[in-house]
Amino acid sequence: MPLRRERARDGRLAWCRGEMFDPVLIANRGEVAVRVIRACRELGIGTVAVYSTADADSEHVRMADLAVCIGPPQPAESYLNIASVIAAATTTGCGAVHPGWGFLAEHASFARACEDNGLVFIGPTPEAIEVMGDKIRARSVMSAAGVPVVPGSPGPVDLSAAAAFAEEVGYPVLLKATAGGGGRGMRLVEDASTLADAYTVAAGEAEAAFSSADLYIEKALLKARHVEVQVVCDGAGAVATFGERDCSVQRRHQKLIEEAPSPGVSAAMRASLEETARGACLEIGYRGAGTLEFLAVPGDAFFFIEMNTRLQVEHPVTELITGVDLVHAQLAIAAGEGLPAELGSRRGHALEVRINAEDPARNFMPTPGTIERFRPPLGPGVRVDTHIVDGYVVPPFYDSLLAKVIVHAADRQRALERAVRALNELEIVGVPTTREFAIEVLQHPQFASGNYTTQFLELHGPELVAPSSA
Ligand code: MV4
């Protein structure tokens, strides 16, 4: 049934397709909750926020039309509590749930619980979440779809199988959590002498983080770039690809800087990456926004590592290049409206810098506390996605992301200059942050040249951080 807009009883415009798709519950916090609320507001869709007692005074609670406290600060008791989140949605008459990223965004059980309770899950099918959440199944599905994957074990490995694989392909190798992703539980093994210890540590981390100690093993491609392709699919055969983002600058698998287009991807390689991503999405019947992660190596070759079945933190980089609002696209697909009409031509260069409440001088330890003064940069080509305001108290219970400064300019050089200008203009007083460190990274000759790999921070990070006297 075509989507139509009509004025609801309380006078608000709402997307209607026979049943009310309004309001939307945002099952998240921080800057992604603010981002989704903004997208809903522009479409005239009401919003319901959920919050833990630690977030009672936060921006997403203030901005939403309605807010429901779902428990104490501990994620397991609040943002990860499926029953509490579902109850908040059903008792407030929500038609749909947006999971954001992190927390329950890639829990198939949550997507199922939404559907079992008559709520539209704004995201992929539970089946797609499940398949891509099992990194071995994901590799197998992609390989069957003709996608090149990193050489790796066909299934989980015990220590002896890991040793045999490593002998066959040669060190270095990477141990990865089957139920993992994003680098958590990942261990680089440089030679046979350290494999056993690395296996024990990786299995322990995997068990702790994902309740499964299963590991698989891959050849480590270290002189590579981490490039990811943004896709949006309607689940009925329409697939849009929106270019790539380079996310090679990561510290302990936390992305610090992301940019598009990647300075290491040629036009021919971009076309091949996007065609490969399109084919994979068609093969699996993917629905919603998603990102296929690849390692790109010299010679225009690339290898699939994993697929993220959610919106990503760095999505604004793609939005600035293409002009497409990816959250609007998610809402439209969930409401049965299909892909954005305007798939956008691409222009210029965009670059995102994450600003975290961490102290680089103290090994990036988290720095919760009160933001006494926050002044975001403004001016041409600058966007700041954040949930912080003057007086905001950064809680110690969640991730340390305070704000993302995203810039757009005609080319990479101008984008770099704009990013440095914007970061110098940014003021966050009250807690130590990674702002100054990020400026150093942007100005490092290796990064500025565009000729960097995933090893960048491993190689150059130490020279960028002045250890504190403390
Ligand atoms: C790899 C890799 C090299 N070889 N897999 C990082 C997080 C997750 N998305 C997968 N990641 C990687 N997987 C193989 N077989 C390199 C990365 C990687 C990385 C590794 C170490 C240090 C920084 C990194 C930044 C981006 C990607």
Side-chain angles (χ1 to χ4, degrees):
M1 175 181 285
L3 204 68
R4 66 184 187 286
R5 292 173 71 74
E6 66 186 20
R7 204 158 285 287
R9 289 180 299 285
D10 59 5
R12 274 190 324 214
L13 270 176
W15 294 100
C16 302
R17 191 188 50 196
E19 75 270 352
M20 198 53 87
F21 180 71
D22 177 359
V24 168
L25 181 131
I26 294 96
N28 219 299
R29 63 175 300 280
E31 64 106 352
V32 66
V34 170
R35 171 73 183 87
V36 175
I37 289 168
R38 285 177 169 144
C40 289
R41 187 163 291 172
E42 289 175 358
L43 298 179
I45 297 174
T47 54
V48 176
V50 290
Y51 65 95
S52 75
T53 49
D55 285 334
D57 297 335
S58 56
E59 272 307 273
H60 77 287
V61 171
R62 184 185 66 78
M63 291 174 72
D65 298 310
L66 209 53
V68 179
C69 182
I70 52 170
Q74 292 73 16
E77 309 300 318
S78 46
Y79 297 106
L80 287 174
N81 186 318
I82 292 178
S84 300
V85 173
I86 294 291
T90 53
T91 54
T92 54
C94 288
V97 174
H98 194 299
W101 52 66
F103 294 127
L104 295 169
E106 293 182 291
H107 288 228
S109 54
F110 179 58
R112 276 196 195 92
C114 289
E115 293 178 354
D116 293 349
N117 284 276
L119 296 160
V120 172
F121 178 75
I122 300 171
T125 60
E127 295 70 29
I129 296 172
E130 205 149 59
V131 168
M132 295 306 162
D134 174 334
K135 303 306 173 188
I136 291 176
R137 280 182 75 188
R139 286 168 43 87
S140 163
V141 164
M142 289 297 170
S143 187
V147 176
V149 298
V150 179
S153 60
V157 289
D158 59 15
L159 178 55
S160 64
F165 176 87
E167 287 308 317
E168 184 190 336
V169 301
Y171 289 90
V173 293
L174 270 164
L175 292 166
K176 293 185 173 183
T178 299
R184 286 191 303 172
M186 208 167 100
R187 268 272 164 311
L188 179 65
V189 185
E190 311 262 9
D191 58 58
S193 67
T194 57
L195 180 63
D197 287 350
Y199 188 96
T200 303
V201 171
E205 286 182 4
E207 178 64 42
F210 312 111
S211 307
S212 161
D214 278 357
L215 300 178
Y216 65 107
I217 186 168
E218 290 180 344
K219 175 68 181 162
L221 307 182
L222 297 182
K223 291 186 171 39
R225 304 179 88 107
H226 177 132
V227 295
E228 56 186 31
V229 177
Q230 177 71 57
V231 299
V232 176
C233 313
D234 70 353
V239 173
T241 60
F242 292 95
E244 84 286 354
R245 296 183 290 259
D246 194 313
C247 305
S248 303
V249 179
Q250 299 186 20
R251 183 182 177 278
R252 293 193 182 170
H253 309 302
Q254 293 301 317
K255 296 167 183 170
L256 187 74
I257 294 177
E258 304 102 341
E259 65 176 311
S262 166
V265 168
S266 66
M269 181 171 178
R270 180 166 301 109
S272 181
L273 276 164
E274 293 193 65
E275 200 40 48
T276 300
R278 167 187 298 281
C281 291
L282 288 171
E283 180 75 20
I284 63 180
Y286 191 72
R287 179 190 76 198
T291 297
L292 287 86
E293 290 189 3
F294 298 93
L295 290 169
V297 296
D300 278 8
F302 53 85
F303 302 89
F304 171 83
I305 36 181
E306 59 188 90
M307 180 173 189
N308 302 314
T309 54
R310 55 176 160 78
L311 186 67
Q312 300 220 205
V313 173
E314 59 270 24
H315 77 277
V317 165
T318 302
E319 293 188 323
L320 291 184
I321 294 288
T322 64
V324 171
D325 183 311
L326 291 169
V327 181
H328 283 171
Q330 287 185 296
L331 291 163
I333 283 169
E337 196 193 26
L339 293 185
E342 247 316 290
L343 291 187
S345 55
R346 296 165 203 176
R347 64 181 188 82
H349 199 96
L351 192 147
E352 174 179 275
V353 179
R354 301 192 194 194
I355 306 297
N356 296 324
E358 295 170 356
D359 187 350
R362 287 182 291 166
N363 199 27
F364 292 85
M365 69 179 287
T367 55
T370 301
I371 305 284
E372 290 154 25
R373 177 179 167 78
F374 170 61
R375 287 296 173 276
L378 299 171
V382 178
R383 163 175 166 180
V384 179
D385 281 17
T386 187
H387 58 297
I388 69 172
V389 292
D390 287 353
Y392 176 65
V393 178
V394 182
F397 309 101
Y398 312 112
D399 71 57
S400 60
L401 182 66
L402 292 178
K404 299 171 330 198
V405 176
I406 314 107
V407 301
H408 180 270
D411 58 39
R412 185 172 193 267
Q413 184 52 39
R414 288 181 178 86
L416 274 174
E417 290 158 2
R418 181 160 281 171
V420 170
R421 186 272 293 173
L423 289 184
N424 279 310
E425 202 176 300
L426 168 67
E427 272 187 82
I428 301 179
V429 178
V431 298
T433 74
T434 54
R435 181 182 73 94
E436 292 82 0
F437 177 74
I439 294 171
E440 300 275 314
V441 171
L442 291 171
Q443 294 181 320
H444 189 285
Q446 193 80 43
F447 183 83
S449 73
N451 180 22
Y452 60 87
T453 70
T454 59
Q455 301 303 294
F456 174 82
L457 276 187
E458 181 95 10
L459 296 172
H460 304 295
E463 63 196 73
L464 298 177
V465 180
S468 74
S469 49

